[in-house]
Amino acid sequence: MSTLNAARPSLAPYKSYPLQDMLRRAAQRDGAKTAVIDGNRTFSFQELDNLSDKFASALAVQGGAKGDHIGLLAPNCVEFVIAFYGIIKAGAVATTINSGYREREIAHQLNDSEAQILIVHQTLKDMSDAAQDMAKGVNQTIIIEPESNDAGTFWGLIESAPSAVPSFRVNPKEDLVALPYSSGTTGLSKGVMLTHHNLTSNVHQFIDRKELGKTRRDDVVLVHLPLFHIYGLELLMNASFGAGATQVMMGRFDMEEFLQLMSNHKVTMLFTAPPVGLGLTQYPGVDNYDLSALRVGFIGAAPLSADLQ
């Protein structure tokens, strides 16, 4: 009969605070440090804090208020990060939408979540336009155009936003902050109601551990898992802010780009899924890239065979 190792001591009770404070603390602690790299664009923690403040103010001008549900449909990019934190700084709830959804799936989530505003990346606009023909409650769409600051666009709203950040009271254990949707494998996808305390506690369960595998301040994390999914949202984006680590954005998966980003940015932490792990064992060009900075990897979200392990 085998004996299991003693359980790790619990980190509970967890401090209770609004999720947006995680970014504010990172900005106060490491303001000038690079927080996000997105292609040839880099953003410090302080810049992200300021930009999400401005977007929160813009949402308030557009009529966004505490408790409103706002859809976010975008691939991994710095605008996703700014939009998510701007939504919650406005007191609203971010319902993150799968960027691979078809129009009926998008419409179902918009209707079911009762979203009033939709933030959508320009690459997904045609699909979202088709979805909104079936969506009842969305009365405004904000388009993310990375190269444009025209009036009414994502960057245009930030540029013209007032300086005052919305003020409201947060009950971290009761107020929702995110409403991602389940995969819908046994029926229509369903909203998962997550409070500020749910997400901040989960981050601390990860970054406050003693083990080698926790995210650290000096880590560089490749963000190739989708941020609309809780795995990417929590263990990549939010945990990186909690620890003060740098995130490298990657949109649609491509093995060459994946390896190039790993090599160029000296990625130290890799969170991925079994298909990528399998691909790495079979791809003939892996040896052409310098992956020596990688110190730890996590493979999750699906079963992993013993052979692949």
Side-chain angles (χ1 to χ4, degrees), residues 52-62 86 89-90 157 161-166:
S52 53
D53 278 353
K54 294 279 283 182
F55 190 62
S57 298
L59 286 174
V61 170
Q62 301 301 309
K89 285 180 176 182
L157 289 173
S163 56
V165 180

Side-chain angles (χ1 to χ4, degrees), residues 256-305:
E256 288 281 350
E257 181 186 1
F258 172 86
L259 292 167
Q260 195 69 63
L261 290 172
M262 293 270 291
S263 176
N264 290 352
H265 297 292
K266 307 300 180 190
V267 169
T268 62
M269 288 198 84
L270 176 63
F271 298 86
T272 193
V276 176
L278 180 62
L280 287 170
T281 68
Q282 299 176 343
Y283 189 71
V286 172
D287 289 343
N288 298 329
Y289 295 89
D290 179 9
L291 308 181
S292 60
L294 188 65
R295 69 176 186 86
V296 64
F298 288 84
I299 299 183
L304 187 69
S305 71

Side-chain angles (χ1 to χ4, degrees), residues 22-36 42-51 217 240-241 243-246:
M22 194 164 283
L23 175 55
R24 295 199 194 282
R25 292 173 185 179
Q28 292 166 0
R29 185 176 62 238
D30 293 305
K33 183 185 174 187
T34 297
V36 170
T42 61
F43 296 81
S44 69
F45 286 102
Q46 189 63 65
E47 287 173 326
L48 292 180
D49 195 33
N50 293 343
L51 288 167
R217 183 177 177 273
S240 291
F241 285 136
T246 297

Side-chain angles (χ1 to χ4, degrees), residues 94-158:
T95 183
T96 55
I97 304 172
N98 188 326
S99 56
Y101 271 177
R102 303 296 296 177
E103 55 268 37
R104 287 186 179 276
E105 295 165 309
I106 295 171
H108 165 68
Q109 184 166 337
L110 292 174
N111 287 330
D112 191 66
S113 66
E114 300 182 342
Q116 298 97 342
I117 298 173
L118 174 63
I119 302 161
V120 59
H121 195 275
Q122 62 181 6
T123 57
L124 300 168
K125 184 177 183 300
D126 288 347
M127 192 64 67
S128 74
D129 285 348
Q132 286 186 71
D133 290 338
M134 297 176 276
K136 304 167 186 173
V138 175
N139 52 45
Q140 184 178 5
T141 301
I142 298 170
I143 308 298
I144 297 171
E145 298 180 37
E147 306 302 325
S148 173
N149 59 354
D150 291 345
T153 66
F154 179 82
W155 287 108
L157 289 173
I158 287 176

